[in-house]
């Protein structure tokens, strides 16, 4: 379940608010640029190593291998889910099946009630955000504390993640210091050691007092039932090993068949997400604590989450289930880079969010999201799985029209446009009329080129923020016609 579209302002209002927040836009652009630069560097390094046969493949080769692995896994998902569930049980864990967000909440509440749990510590998990996990348990009187630093920041701000990997991408150091200072009861400086020391001292107590630790899973290996977590802060390891109960919420698309397959997708995730060869911590969890082991939880519960995913299997959108939640498509998207994550209104922002939010929920309620793209294709180029996000966005727009949910005015304009382009005489007449109507708004630049500015009516939405190329003084058809006449002479 994503955020309820009926409980947020309309899309244009959200965009206008984001565009008017220069601090947000600056923070998002700075971090997105940094992530993109680091990604490009580490990908170039991988390609160089592959050329010297010091890596298992170049980035392009890993991408092709990863797509084959995911295509195979999704085609046989029922088999690998059963295999994973059987291995988890053999390892001493308990498996739960959640068809919806409500099922996840119900299962978690039952575990908390049986254990008489009052405190939950949570590592970063977009699946838990998807099901509104925190709100549901807090409503039952259970304290839920985020342990990922970015998630902890937005929890204090009472916000949702603004980025799949960097939840607090839109926050400045000053804003973070002010929020931490409010909790500490004193003013904090904005330097990294001060902020991290406060977070470490505060959260360490929460880890030690927690009754349940909740995590997601970046991957789950079916042949061994192993949960895999990639983190940079160590909170994932503490969340899954200190509390007596570990609950992992795992989207059913997170499966990979074997450990060898894991090596391929793991070669893509950190490089695409944070520009790292490997994250600081990589956790592989296979079952709860066994007799004689010094640490680990007494109980391990794995909740496999569907929540609309099986509807995509076998459909034209199945490819979207290949996403490994790296966020690379966000960092290159010209729309996301200007409006940040909250303007989308959904839990998953950016190009991948504009695709999966309508698909996992209700396209009729999220008809605006497929429009939040320039269709430049940069998201496809950056995606380590090669998902054709821009094509899916076009397809979703077509589905929106087929549902009768498209804007009536825009639909009439497009029908008139289509009719004109199918009738050469009408097209030529429209071009001539448009050229005459546009002339008063055309300005000549110093270099001699011309642009149209401050166009009236619906065109103002474009020319208020950018220029528009004027209709040529002589169209191609007119020039061709003249050339033909000259040739006859």
């Amino acid at each position: 379940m994503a955020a309820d579209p009926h409980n947020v302002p309309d899309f244009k209002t959200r965009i206008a608010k984001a565009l008017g927040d220069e601090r947000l836009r600056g923070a998002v652009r700075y971090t997105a640029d940094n992530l993109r630069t680091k990604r490009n560097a580490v990908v170039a390094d991988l390609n160089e190593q592959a050329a010297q046969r010091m890596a298992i493949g170049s980035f392009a080769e890993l991408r092709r291998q990863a797509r084959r692995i995911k295509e195979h896994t999704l085609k046989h998902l029922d088999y690998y889910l059963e295999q994973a569930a059987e291995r988890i049980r053999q390892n001493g864990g308990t498996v739960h099946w959640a068809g919806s967000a409500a099922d996840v909440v119900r299962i978690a509440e039952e575990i908390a009630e049986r254990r008489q749990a009052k405190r939950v510590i949570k590592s970063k998990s977009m699946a838990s955000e998807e099901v509104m996990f925190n709100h549901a348990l807090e409503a039952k009187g259970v304290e839920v504390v985020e342990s990922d630093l970015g998630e902890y920041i937005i929890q204090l701000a009472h916000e949702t993640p603004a980025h799949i990997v960097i939840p607090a991408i839109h926050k400045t150091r000053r804003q973070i210091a002010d929020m931490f200072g409010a909790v500490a009861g004193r003013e904090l400086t904005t330097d990294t050691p001060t902020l991290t020391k406060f977070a470490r001292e505060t959260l360490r107590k929460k880890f030690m007092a927690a009754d349940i630790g909740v995590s997601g899973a970046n991957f789950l290996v079916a042949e061994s039932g192993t949960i895999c977590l990639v983190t940079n802060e160590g909170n994932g390891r503490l969340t899954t090993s200190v509390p007596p109960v570990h609950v992992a919420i795992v989207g059913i698309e997170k499966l990979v068949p074997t450990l060898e397959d894991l090596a391929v997708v793991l070669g893509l995730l950190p490089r695409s997400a944070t520009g790292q060869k490997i994250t600081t911590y990589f956790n592989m969890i296979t079952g709860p604590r066994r007799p004689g082991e010094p640490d680990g939880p007494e109980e391990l519960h794995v909740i496999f989450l569907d929540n609309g995913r099986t509807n995509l299997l076998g459909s034209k959108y199945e490819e979207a289930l290949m996403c490994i939640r790296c966020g690379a498509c966000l960092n290159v998207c010209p729309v996301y880079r200007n409006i940040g994550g909250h303007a989308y209104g959904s839990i998953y922002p950016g190009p991948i969010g504009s695709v999966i939010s309508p698909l996992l929920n209700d396209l009729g309620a999220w008809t605006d999201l497929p429009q939040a793209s320039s269709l430049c294709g940069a998201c496809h180029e950056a995606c380590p799985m090669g998902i054709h996000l821009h094509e899916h966005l076009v397809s979703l727009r077509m589905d929106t029209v087929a549902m009768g949910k498209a804007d009536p005015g825009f639909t009439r304009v497009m029908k008139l446009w289509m009719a004109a382009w199918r009738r050469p005489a009408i097209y030529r007449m429209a071009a001539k009329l448009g050229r005459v109507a546009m002339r008063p708004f055309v300005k000549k630049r110093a270099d001699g080129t011309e642009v149209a500015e401050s166009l009236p009516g619906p065109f103002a939405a474009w020319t208020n923020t950018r220029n528009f190329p004027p209709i040529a003084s002589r169209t191609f058809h007119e020039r061709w016609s003249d050339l033909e006449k000259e040739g006859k002479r």
Side-chain angles (χ1 to χ4, degrees):
M1 176 172 62
D4 186 349
H6 303 295
N7 292 332
V8 295
D10 67 79
F11 193 41
K12 290 183 179 178
T13 301
R14 300 196 302 267
I15 290 176
K17 181 181 178 182
L19 292 177
D21 190 339
E22 285 298 328
R23 188 163 54 181
L24 176 149
R25 298 176 65 191
V28 170
R29 279 199 298 269
Y30 172 81
T31 305
D33 284 347
N34 189 32
L35 291 171
R36 187 171 59 174
T37 300
K38 290 171 65 178
R39 175 188 180 277
N40 292 342
V42 77
V43 168
D45 180 63
L46 173 65
N47 291 338
E48 186 175 332
Q49 289 187 21
Q52 299 173 12
R53 299 182 180 279
M54 296 173 62
I56 60 175
S58 67
F59 193 83
E61 289 167 342
L62 289 181
R63 184 154 91 159
R64 285 194 291 272
Q65 290 183 49
R67 280 189 64 87
R68 284 197 293 270
I69 291 168
K70 278 291 187 179
E71 286 171 354
H72 170 80
T73 308
L74 292 173
K75 186 176 181 181
H76 304 282
L77 188 58
D78 53 347
Y79 169 79
Y80 287 115
L81 280 170
E82 287 296 332
Q83 184 186 42
E86 183 59 27
R87 295 294 181 273
I88 292 168
R89 295 188 188 103
Q90 290 174 356
N91 297 330
T94 303
V95 175
H96 306 266
W97 303 99
S100 66
D103 290 339
V104 173
V105 171
R106 175 183 52 77
I107 294 165
E109 287 177 351
E110 289 173 356
I111 296 171
E113 185 176 346
R114 180 175 56 78
R115 297 287 305 197
Q116 296 184 326
K118 297 297 181 184
R119 293 168 293 274
V120 169
I121 192 80
K122 199 166 141 284
S123 67
K124 188 176 182 307
S125 163
M126 289 304 293
S128 70
E129 295 286 349
E130 180 183 328
V131 303
M132 304 287 189
F133 184 88
N134 291 15
H135 298 292
L137 262 70
E138 286 169 353
K140 295 291 183 180
V142 178
E143 181 194 50
V144 182
V145 177
E146 297 285 352
S147 63
D148 174 86
L149 191 56
E151 291 281 353
Y152 182 59
I153 292 167
I154 63 168
Q155 186 179 30
L156 293 179
H158 305 289
E159 296 177 355
T160 54
H163 189 284
I164 291 175
V165 175
I166 315 291
I169 189 174
H170 58 303
K171 296 295 185 188
T172 63
R173 282 176 176 269
R174 184 67 265 166
Q175 290 175 307
I176 295 168
D178 290 344
M179 284 187 285
F180 283 6
V183 177
R186 64 182 189 278
E187 185 174 343
L188 298 178
T189 56
T190 60
D191 59 285
T192 300
T194 298
L195 297 178
T196 54
K197 181 183 179 184
F198 164 79
R200 186 180 298 112
E201 291 176 349
T202 303
L203 293 175
R204 189 59 61 98
K205 298 174 185 173
K206 300 293 184 182
F207 281 119
M208 302 311 293
D211 302 303
I212 297 176
V214 175
S215 76
N218 295 102
F219 306 105
L220 195 147
V221 182
E223 69 171 359
S224 61
T226 302
I227 300 166
C228 304
L229 296 175
V230 293
T231 73
N232 277 314
E233 299 170 14
N235 64 305
R237 184 164 297 174
L238 286 168
T239 298
T240 58
S241 61
V242 174
V245 178
H246 173 202
V247 176
I249 305 171
V250 184
I252 58 174
E253 80 281 13
K254 294 298 184 73
L255 290 183
V256 293
T258 67
L259 289 169
E260 286 76 12
D261 296 330
L262 174 66
V264 175
V265 289
L266 190 60
L268 293 170
L269 178 56
R271 287 182 169 89
S272 301
T274 52
Q276 296 172 281
K277 293 179 181 177
I278 187 67
T279 47
T280 308
Y281 297 88
F282 175 55
N283 307 293
M284 300 178 74
I285 302 162
T286 308
R289 181 175 61 195
R290 296 173 178 79
E293 292 184 339
D295 53 22
E298 300 166 7
E299 297 179 18
L300 168 65
H301 298 265
V302 177
I303 304 175
F304 281 115
L305 172 64
D306 182 346
N307 203 30
R309 286 161 173 79
T310 50
N311 295 335
L312 276 62
L313 292 173
S315 76
K316 59 184 176 182
Y317 298 114
E318 182 178 284
E319 186 188 37
L321 294 175
M322 293 183 182
C323 176
I324 56 175
R325 306 287 191 267
C326 68
C329 60
L330 279 64
N331 303 330
V332 299
C333 175
V335 175
Y336 177 86
R337 289 163 53 81
N338 276 285
I339 65 175
H342 291 156
Y344 288 83
S346 57
I347 292 298
Y348 296 103
I352 184 63
S354 295
V355 171
I356 63 173
S357 295
L359 293 175
L360 295 183
N361 297 277
D362 176 14
L363 174 58
W366 293 101
T367 54
D368 288 328
L369 288 186
Q371 311 297 328
S373 171
S374 65
L375 303 179
C376 63
C379 49
H380 165 64
E381 293 296 326
C383 176
M385 301 303 296
I387 300 173
H388 297 79
L389 291 163
H390 57 309
E391 296 179 7
H392 293 311
L393 289 167
V394 172
S395 188
L396 283 169
R397 293 181 185 185
M398 295 170 65
D399 291 347
T400 302
V401 173
M403 293 170 61
K405 294 285 186 178
D407 178 75
F410 183 74
T411 301
R412 283 193 290 271
V413 169
M414 294 308 296
K415 285 183 176 178
L416 288 172
W417 184 274
M418 180 175 66
W421 276 64
R422 286 179 171 179
R423 296 169 176 80
I426 296 178
Y427 170 78
R428 293 182 185 117
M429 178 63 72
K432 289 179 181 178
L433 291 174
R435 184 165 54 211
V436 173
M438 186 181 288
R439 180 49 53 187
F441 305 96
V442 175
K443 309 294 182 186
K444 179 171 282 190
R445 288 173 166 172
D447 61 2
T449 59
E450 293 183 332
V451 294
E453 299 176 348
S454 305
L455 290 174
F459 301 103
W462 181 279
T463 56
N464 282 344
T465 56
R466 72 205 86 177
N467 297 320
F468 193 86
I471 297 175
S473 57
R474 293 172 67 224
T475 65
F476 174 78
H477 286 99
E478 290 168 341
R479 294 169 62 185
W480 186 258
S481 178
D482 292 343
L483 287 172
E484 283 187 326
K485 291 176 183 176
E486 291 173 5
K488 289 179 180 178
R489 292 171 187 166

